[in-house]
């Protein structure tokens, strides 16, 4: 790829300009040898050009999509802004995510949808709450191989509510987007000091996968030297990691003891 390209294959490049925090987290996961779906990054340069009504942008994106992506595969198209998934700011659920995208045209439309969400009224109001100006935000986009989920969910290397040193796993059958839907109660495991303090009465998620999630989360937290919030998906054969960020809820938590 040349210097003027705007779509990069994540695992092929050590440095991608303006790839955003989600992409940076995935790159760390790859560097640490973890399983990540095939991922491409549309850099923030393309978003800036879209703001300037660049007449050549659409054709360049169309050409690079055809060069990199399979029109018969399914993809998840999601945000990778500079301000989301950082320790200081969270934009969880505020930017658009488009799942099960197939075909060159629909991929390009999904990219535009993510870009549009960066200037929505909800985002402008959120920036005001954070005492930030709109020009503090820029948007890269991830195009990620869509993994058909048997189970998916989140895991915390430390309890984000109490601050207790324990691994907390939440899972649902199917897509992880159900975790934020009203009325969906996830399966939940709490693991501390070699034993489960909480686990669901029944679940089809194999015990060896739960064990793998716990061990991988502990390994990542130790090597990154941070308390982590991760998203994962299990397709019935392989555990994939979709996202990694530092837990933001712990900063002002007045914890004095784990007892």
């Amino acid at each position: 790829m040349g210097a003027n390209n705007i779509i990069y294959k994540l695992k092929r490049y050590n440095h991608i300009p303006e790839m955003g925090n989600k992409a940076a987290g995935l790159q760390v996961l790859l560097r640490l040898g973890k399983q990540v779906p095939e991922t491409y990054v549309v850099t923030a340069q393309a978003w800036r050009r879209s703001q300037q009504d660049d007449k050549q942008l659409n054709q360049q994106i169309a050409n690079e999509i055809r060069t990199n992506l399979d029109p018969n595969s399914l993809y998840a198209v999601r945000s990778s802004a500079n301000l989301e998934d950082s320790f200081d700011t969270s934009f969880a659920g505020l930017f658009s995510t488009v799942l099960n995208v197939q075909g060159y045209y629909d991929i390009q439309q999904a990219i535009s949808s993510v870009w549009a969400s960066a200037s929505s009224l909800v985002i402008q109001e959120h920036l005001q709450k954070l005492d930030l100006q709109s020009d503090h935000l820029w948007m890269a986009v991830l195009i990620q191989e869509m993994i058909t989920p048997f189970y998916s969910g989140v895991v915390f290397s430390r309890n984000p509510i109490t601050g207790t040193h324990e691994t907390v796993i939440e899972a649902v059958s199917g897509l992880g987007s159900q975790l934020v839907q009203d009325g969906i109660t996830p399966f939940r495991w709490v693991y501390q000091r070699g034993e489960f303090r909480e686990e669901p009465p029944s679940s089809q998620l194999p015990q060896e996968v739960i064990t793998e999630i716990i061990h991988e989360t502990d390994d990542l937290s130790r090597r990154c030297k941070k308390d982590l919030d991760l998203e994962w998906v299990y397709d019935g054969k392989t555990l994939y990691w979709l996202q990694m960020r530092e837990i933001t809820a712990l900063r002002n938590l007045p914890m004095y003891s784990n007892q």
Side-chain angles (χ1 to χ4, degrees), residues 127-187:
L127 287 169
Q128 289 178 6
K129 290 178 182 177
L130 297 172
D131 198 25
L132 294 171
Q133 302 298 317
S134 58
D135 58 4
H136 289 140
L137 173 71
W138 51 256
M139 177 63 73
V141 177
L142 298 179
I143 306 171
Q144 195 169 57
E145 174 193 4
M146 190 79 198
I147 304 298
T148 302
F150 176 51
Y151 269 85
S152 51
V154 296
V155 57
F156 302 92
S157 65
R158 187 174 177 182
N159 192 311
I161 304 301
T162 66
T164 305
H165 288 284
E166 57 192 11
T167 305
V168 180
I169 302 171
E170 292 189 343
V172 294
S173 59
L175 290 171
S177 57
Q178 297 179 86
L179 278 169
V180 296
Q181 294 176 1
D182 293 337
I184 300 296
T185 301
F187 298 103

Side-chain angles (χ1 to χ4, degrees), residues 99-228:
L99 303 178
N100 293 308
V101 183
Q102 186 178 47
Y104 296 141
Y105 175 79
D106 285 350
I107 292 170
Q108 193 160 355
Q109 291 300 109
I111 293 169
S112 296
S113 177
V114 175
W115 284 345
S117 70
S119 56
S120 69
L121 180 59
V122 171
I123 294 300
Q124 298 308 310
E125 291 174 347
H126 191 64
L127 287 169
Q128 289 178 6
K129 290 178 182 177
L130 297 172
D131 198 25
L132 294 171
Q133 302 298 317
S134 58
D135 58 4
H136 289 140
L137 173 71
W138 51 256
M139 177 63 73
V141 177
L142 298 179
I143 306 171
Q144 195 169 57
E145 174 193 4
M146 190 79 198
I147 304 298
T148 302
F150 176 51
Y151 269 85
S152 51
V154 296
V155 57
F156 302 92
S157 65
R158 187 174 177 182
N159 192 311
I161 304 301
T162 66
T164 305
H165 288 284
E166 57 192 11
T167 305
V168 180
I169 302 171
E170 292 189 343
V172 294
S173 59
L175 290 171
S177 57
Q178 297 179 86
L179 278 169
V180 296
Q181 294 176 1
D182 293 337
I184 300 296
T185 301
F187 298 103
R188 193 168 192 266
W189 293 260
V190 177
Y191 182 83
Q192 184 187 51
R193 297 174 185 167
E195 64 181 36
F196 287 97
R197 300 299 178 94
E198 180 182 336
E199 53 187 326
S202 64
S203 165
Q204 292 183 346
L205 184 61
Q207 185 61 44
E208 57 266 27
V209 178
I210 294 296
T211 301
E212 183 179 2
I213 293 170
I214 291 169
H215 288 168
E216 292 278 282
T217 300
D218 179 67
D219 179 59
L220 287 166
S221 181
R222 178 176 49 80
R223 293 167 74 181
C224 294
K225 299 179 180 180
K226 295 177 181 178
D227 295 308
L228 298 176

Side-chain angles (χ1 to χ4, degrees), residues 46-60:
W47 172 77
R48 288 198 177 89
R49 288 172 58 184
S50 75
Q51 303 297 293
Q52 298 163 3
D53 199 25
D54 187 323
K55 302 301 183 184
Q56 297 179 325
L57 177 62
N58 284 340
Q59 189 57 55
Q60 182 177 354

